[in-house]
Amino acid sequence: MNTIDKLVSNEGWNIQSWRFRYGTELWVIASPLAEQLDQIREITEGADIEAIELASYFNNEGSWLPVISAKKHI
């Protein structure tokens, strides 16, 4: 958590989180460019095929990026 705090407060990164429209999955993304976060959020909230493909990318070959998609436990 300290690393995220440092990125946001010291390095000017942006962070967004939102609920995926299906189920209880949450997205949390950090980026130095707010526009990137907005674009990713728009895709995940847009057409089904694009949203599913992006989620698949982040969970597989893009898993090194600062993106987390996880199930919310109630």
Side-chain angles (χ1 to χ4, degrees), residues 17-45:
S17 64
W18 63 93
R19 184 177 301 178
F20 195 49
R21 64 180 171 209
Y22 302 114
T24 59
E25 196 166 329
L26 298 174
W27 285 85
V28 179
I29 302 178
S31 172
L33 302 173
E35 299 83 22
Q36 288 178 335
L37 300 176
D38 294 337
Q39 290 174 347
I40 292 169
R41 186 174 190 155
E42 287 175 14
I43 293 170
T44 65
E45 294 175 340

Side-chain angles (χ1 to χ4, degrees), residues 53-68:
E53 286 179 0
L54 184 62
S56 177
Y57 171 78
F58 283 131
N59 288 323
N60 294 297
E61 59 266 19
S63 62
W64 60 273
L65 294 165
V67 174
I68 297 171

